[in-house]
Amino acid sequence: THEPVEQEAQIRLLEKLQNHNGHNSMLVLRPADVTEATVSWKMAMENQTSPTGLIFSRQNINDLPAKENRYAEALQAEKGAYIVEEDANYDIILLASGSEVSTLVDGAKLLKEDGIKTRIVSVPSEGVFRTQSKEYQESVLPQDKKKFGLTAGLPVTLLGLVGDNGKIWGMNSFGFSAPYKVLDEKLGFTPDNVYKQVKEYLK
């Protein structure tokens, strides 16, 4: 089943608020695969300024693709968001956190068959990402590029990353009970729906 979406949204709000010392009130991390989970645990152990919230998925998740060394690449998660893979001269940025990132990877393969080039970005922590330099933020999520966000939570949790002109596929309700593969199919968290939504958005 999917986590209660309102509770996740409240936790994600905390990571964007600052305490009296100027630090984020909470470090919130939602890793996309087992390697990102390892990096997230490292970040939690090294965090001396706030509580840490780790949001894990209960279903099986495919490892994200690696160019050479997946752990070395996943260490970029320490910046809050990073490029997992991309095509040259990409048409659109696909972004998510947690299990949805691997869904984007599979959706990107379908889009590529149609000649649509993508950049895939994993965002384990928007709060951490927003503490990075403006140059780094722009290098990962350029303002002039189209963006599609996928979240098994409230769409508003990705609005600050996708922007007003982007598109988000998310949830506005919770409480469904079924095997996760059935829920993903019914609620549209599938590579086929990523393909469909992106194609409609790019028209």
Side-chain angles (χ1 to χ4, degrees):
T1 59
H2 292 275
E3 60 269 320
V5 294
E6 281 89 349
Q7 184 175 0
E8 185 196 19
Q10 289 172 345
I11 293 172
R12 288 192 173 279
L13 176 62
L14 285 173
E15 74 170 334
K16 300 173 190 176
L17 300 177
Q18 292 192 335
N19 59 29
H20 64 282
N21 292 321
H23 299 292
N24 287 2
S25 294
M26 189 172 188
L27 172 62
V28 180
L29 302 164
R30 186 167 184 246
D33 66 0
V34 65
T35 315
E36 269 193 28
T38 302
V39 175
S40 295
W41 185 254
K42 174 179 179 291
M43 293 172 68
M45 293 298 98
E46 293 172 351
N47 178 25
Q48 301 295 315
T49 59
S50 71
T52 300
L54 299 172
I55 303 175
F56 294 118
S57 297
R58 286 170 284 186
Q59 63 262 41
N60 296 325
I61 300 175
N62 294 329
D63 288 337
L64 297 184
K67 303 179 193 73
E68 295 180 10
N69 183 315
R70 175 65 191 134
Y71 180 73
E73 293 163 20
L75 280 173
Q76 296 175 90
E78 292 182 319
K79 294 185 176 181
Y82 68 101
I83 301 165
V84 173
E85 66 175 10
E86 65 180 351
D87 300 316
N89 302 313
Y90 61 89
D91 303 298
I92 187 169
I93 298 173
L94 312 180
L95 61 97
S97 67
S99 59
E100 290 89 84
V101 181
S102 59
T103 303
L104 292 180
V105 170
D106 291 339
K109 294 174 184 174
L110 300 177
L111 290 166
K112 195 168 186 176
E113 291 175 2
D114 255 13
I116 297 174
K117 299 176 182 179
T118 62
R119 166 184 282 187
I120 299 172
V121 172
S122 176
V123 191
S125 174
E126 182 182 354
V128 172
F129 180 60
R130 292 308 185 192
T131 68
Q132 305 304 313
S133 69
K134 294 297 183 183
E135 291 77 13
Y136 179 77
Q137 293 183 47
E138 178 69 12
S139 72
V140 176
L141 297 176
Q143 292 185 16
D144 62 345
K145 286 291 188 177
K146 295 181 182 298
K147 301 176 185 72
F148 172 80
L150 184 69
T151 175
L154 297 176
V156 69
T157 60
L158 289 185
L159 185 58
L161 296 165
V162 170
D164 293 334
N165 297 322
K167 182 171 185 177
I168 303 170
W169 184 265
M171 292 179 62
N172 288 306
S173 59
F174 71 97
F176 306 107
S177 181
Y180 75 89
K181 290 184 179 179
V182 174
L183 285 179
D184 283 345
E185 190 70 35
K186 295 292 185 183
L187 298 173
F189 296 100
T190 63
D192 287 339
N193 192 48
V194 169
Y195 170 85
K196 175 184 175 184
Q197 297 300 323
V198 171
K199 287 281 286 187
E200 290 181 359
Y201 171 48
L202 292 178
K203 280 182 181 177

